[in-house]
Amino acid sequence: ADQLADKPGEPSPLAETVERLAPIADALAAAHGKSVVHGDLHPRQIVLANGGARLRGFGFAPMVSATRPSATHARRGYASPELAAGEAPTKASDAYAFAAIAHHCLTGRAPLGCPAAPSTLAAGLDARVDALLADGLSPDPAGRPSPKAFHEALAAIVASPEAAAPSAIVDA
């Protein structure tokens, strides 16, 4: 089985990203519905096997030092600003990491230090994805859509490539 981290620099098409991230969005929605946060979401926590993706690492993050070099390197670009500042993980920090992973899938790179609009980094990427990623990577935790809402918005872009972008993303 490969890890999503094994695919650096290889942008994936939007439809493939939507399909790949569906089980991750579902797993996070189920966990968040039970008030469980992942807290250490990054590409190495996503295993690609049998044509699908699986999320691993629930419950392990609190037992690992966040300052350990390998943990810090793995999180670089995927940890929310508040998590990077040492605050406790929340649903909003998982939402940020989910958006950062989507950015990684769509552009081939983590969003950290990447000021260019994602649609300028990957040929053929719908420009509506830029606004969605900006919402998901918002420095304000309250402004981030849940992973499920984010994924549904990505899927809506795939389903209606010519449609106008929604004015706002609302969690259901």
Side-chain angles (χ1 to χ4, degrees):
D2 291 332
Q3 295 175 347
L4 187 58
D6 294 337
K7 311 261 184 232
E10 298 178 24
S12 297
L14 181 58
E16 181 181 315
T17 297
V18 167
E19 184 177 335
R20 182 177 285 162
L21 293 181
I24 307 307
D26 290 343
L28 289 169
H32 291 173
K34 296 187 182 299
S35 297
V36 174
V37 297
H38 189 282
D40 191 30
L41 190 57
H42 53 78
R44 289 185 182 183
Q45 296 290 17
I46 298 175
V47 178
L48 306 174
N50 301 324
R54 294 185 189 258
L55 181 58
R56 66 181 188 175
F58 276 100
F60 186 67
M63 298 171 11
V64 177
S65 169
T67 59
R68 193 182 76 207
S70 62
T72 302
H73 177 71
R75 287 183 178 165
R76 186 171 168 80
Y78 303 95
S80 65
E82 66 275 10
L83 195 60
E87 294 181 27
T90 64
K91 293 176 187 178
S93 61
D94 280 355
Y96 181 97
F98 185 82
I101 289 168
H103 186 287
H104 170 103
C105 290
L106 294 166
T107 67
R109 55 180 89 171
L112 182 68
C114 186
S119 63
T120 66
L121 301 173
L125 184 60
D126 191 310
R128 292 176 290 166
V129 173
D130 295 343
L132 180 57
L133 285 168
D135 288 345
L137 298 170
S138 172
D140 176 13
R144 298 177 198 142
S146 71
K148 188 71 172 172
F150 183 95
H151 182 264
E152 288 170 352
L154 274 181
I157 292 170
V158 169
S160 60
E162 303 288 323
S167 60
I169 298 180
V170 179
D171 286 332

